Amino acid sequence: MKSPSLGSIPKDQKYRRSSVCNFFPTASLFCIVLLLGGIIIIKHGKEKVLKLNFEENFQSSFTCEGQCRPPGSEPLPQGIVARTSDLERRPLWGLPKEDNSSKNLFSVAVGIKQKKTVDKLVKKFLSANFVVMLFHYDGNLDQWKDFEWSNTVIHVSAVNQTKWWFAKRFLHPDIVAEYDYVFLWDEDLGVENFNPKRYVSIVKKERLEISQPALDTNKSEVHHQITARGRRTIVHRRTYKPGDNGTGCDYNSSAPPCTGWIEMMAPVFSRAAWRCVWYMIQNDLIHAWGLDMQLGYCAQGDRTKTIGVVDAEYIVHYGIPTLGDPKKKTRIATKPKNLNGLETHASPPFKLVNYRVEVRRQSYREYKVFKKRWTKAVEEDECWSDPYPEPIKDIAM
């Protein structure tokens, strides 16, 4: 029997060596694949995390940018921003005695000459739990202290200013946002047959956004037929007047002054309507002539339905001129001229100026300015379309 040689390798040992050699490349390849796969997975995981973070940041950024913040409040957290206010008084210390906040505001321009009439107005609205605000156009405040209610109402004074001047500056929509209705009246009105609470109840039920109480035709100075009281109706929204070639008012009329219109002596606005009307009041046009014809754009819907005159609660219009008192006249010196139109050194003559006439002239000038501004605004605003293309009728009502 031959003994095995030292230089020879058994068959099974060769097989084992071959297996080990084959194993290492396979294992190495597997490790490389595993390593690359791990890198890909990690990379994919990082991308997914980054993607999620980006989406969250983008969504957060988009949400923040979408917030409608009042200009100037951007540095503040949104929850601390107080967007509105009101005219309620607060005690210097402690809590209010009771939570009896008013839901409606009565504002009126007043002068001391109408003291008795204003007293009746104020008492009527205070008894109905209204906030009352007096706009003093004559600068006289002291003589109102005789009334018990003087310290319970808000007084604002500016000499020779109209109620529209006051309203533009002191009745900003964000200040009166707490009130359901804003009454903006003249002072020469009688309220013996008027109940503020019943009036508010009627306009709510009838869904009137802009309204006025009807006028007692037996005692009032009535300028427009649509404001006259109807004895058989609670509310009316149009008037009727015969006329040829479309100059009258009938069932088919859809524009002021036949329908969708009130007079401006005693207007009442809902919260939403007042926000719109306030923006339409021109800061420099203090008589607001022409505003009445455009109120329909602020009526929050079809102006033939949401603007009306309340017959069930009516008032008296005394028609007493206040600003521009006709009894007040002033002599103004004018520079004399010779026949050639040149100024001379002679004693100057005087021209008598009637205040009331001058106020009327200024009102008409402002009316023309307002019409021009409206026309220009319509022409320049490409994004705005007119919901009321029918022209307003020029009818003496």
Side-chain angles (χ1 to χ4, degrees), residues 15 19 40 42 75 82 97 146 162 166 176 191 202 247 251 257 259 281 283 287-288 296 299 304 310 329 332 334 341:
Y15 175 77
S19 297
I40 292 170
I42 293 170
K97 292 182 180 179
D146 300 342
T162 69
F166 285 105
V176 298
V191 288
I202 290 170
T247 59
Y251 287 101
T259 185
I281 299 170
N283 192 62
H287 295 286
T304 66
V310 178
K329 296 185 173 87
I332 298 178
T334 57

Side-chain angles (χ1 to χ4, degrees), residues 80 148 347:
I80 203 65
E148 292 182 3
S347 299

Side-chain angles (χ1 to χ4, degrees), residues 29 31 46 59 86 88 103 161 172 177-178 181 186 207 209 211 215 225-227 267 279 286-287 345 362:
L29 181 62
C31 291
K46 285 184 177 180
Q59 187 174 2
D86 57 39
E88 300 292 331
K103 296 298 181 183
Q161 299 304 314
H172 187 281
E178 298 298 319
Y181 293 94
D186 292 346
R207 298 183 179 181
E209 298 287 335
S211 63
L215 302 183
Q225 183 177 312
I226 196 171
T227 63
Y279 284 108
I286 63 172
H287 295 286
H345 297 286
Q362 180 62 27

Side-chain angles (χ1 to χ4, degrees), residues 353-366:
V353 176
N354 185 314
Y355 285 10
R356 187 60 185 168
V357 171
E358 292 303 318
V359 167
R360 299 285 291 186
R361 284 176 180 167
Q362 180 62 27
S363 299
Y364 186 67
R365 290 190 199 103
E366 291 188 5

Side-chain angles (χ1 to χ4, degrees), residues 226 237-240 248-250 253-261 393 395 397:
I226 196 171
R237 295 174 171 83
R238 62 174 61 245
T239 190
Y240 305 92
C249 295
D250 54 33
S253 299
S254 59
C258 301
T259 185
W261 185 87
K393 295 183 180 181
I395 302 173
M397 300 302 292

Side-chain angles (χ1 to χ4, degrees), residues 302-318:
D302 185 349
R303 64 184 175 186
T304 66
K305 297 177 181 178
T306 57
I307 298 180
V309 179
V310 178
D311 300 304
E313 297 297 326
Y314 57 97
I315 59 176
V316 175
H317 179 215
Y318 297 122

Side-chain angles (χ1 to χ4, degrees), residues 99-111:
D99 186 14
N100 194 26
S101 300
S102 174
K103 296 298 181 183
N104 302 293
L105 170 67
F106 174 71
S107 55
V108 56
V110 302

Side-chain angles (χ1 to χ4, degrees), residues 2 18 29 40 71 151 154 169 175 246 266 277-278 305 324 331 363 367-369 380 382-383:
K2 244 178 159 182
S18 174
L29 181 62
I40 292 170
N151 289 332
I154 299 168
R169 288 152 181 81
I175 298 296
V277 171
W278 185 88
K305 297 177 181 178
R331 297 177 69 194
S363 299
Y367 171 65
K368 292 193 290 186
V369 171
E380 292 180 349
E382 297 179 357
C383 300

